[in-house]
Amino acid sequence: CFLMEQGLKLMPPGVVTCILVIDAEGAGWQHFDVPLTRKIMAMASIGYRDRVERIIVGPVSSIVTAAWKFCRTFMAKNLKDKILITNTPKADLAQIIDAKDIPVGVFDK
């Protein structure tokens, strides 16, 4: 939550929502962190539910897809609707925000 608070402080006046970007390239079961996943879900659904506009996760492997199918059963509909699991995260992010606003290095592999 500390990093989320720091990020919110950097937002320009009038901007009240953010997009959480999770790079899942190369992620496998050994990277699946249940406590971290619970914290992200709680942050997006309780603590910052009005601040987190979207969560984009990608590019995904079959492991991430399987983990998503499992985790989504425990999520409220409003949180599920915010999450996008994708193999084309940069292109999908560019559908939401202007491509020039995507920081260098985000999904640039």
Side-chain angles (χ1 to χ4, degrees):
C1 290
F2 172 76
L3 291 177
M4 185 69 167
E5 286 295 327
Q6 295 297 16
L8 293 173
K9 288 177 185 176
L10 295 173
M11 293 173 22
V15 176
V16 296
T17 62
C18 65
I19 298 169
L20 181 60
V21 175
I22 300 173
D23 184 348
E25 185 168 357
W29 285 121
Q30 70 272 23
H31 302 106
F32 190 66
D33 185 331
V34 174
L36 176 62
T37 302
R38 286 185 180 145
K39 283 183 180 184
I40 290 171
M41 288 175 18
M43 178 186 67
S45 62
I46 300 168
Y48 298 94
R49 71 172 174 250
D50 296 328
R51 295 288 216 148
V52 176
E53 182 179 335
R54 296 285 289 168
I55 300 172
I56 298 178
V57 181
V60 297
S61 64
S62 58
I63 301 296
V64 174
T65 302
W68 166 242
K69 287 179 181 178
F70 174 76
C71 289
R72 70 178 287 140
T73 61
F74 303 106
M75 293 180 194
K77 183 180 179 341
N78 68 331
L79 179 56
K80 281 189 262 191
D81 292 345
K82 291 180 180 187
I83 299 174
L84 175 62
I85 305 294
T86 179
N87 279 316
T88 56
K90 189 162 191 167
D92 292 320
L93 185 57
Q95 295 290 319
I96 300 168
I97 65 173
D98 194 321
K100 70 175 177 47
D101 293 329
I102 299 173
V104 174
V106 174
F107 301 124
D108 277 345
K109 291 188 178 183

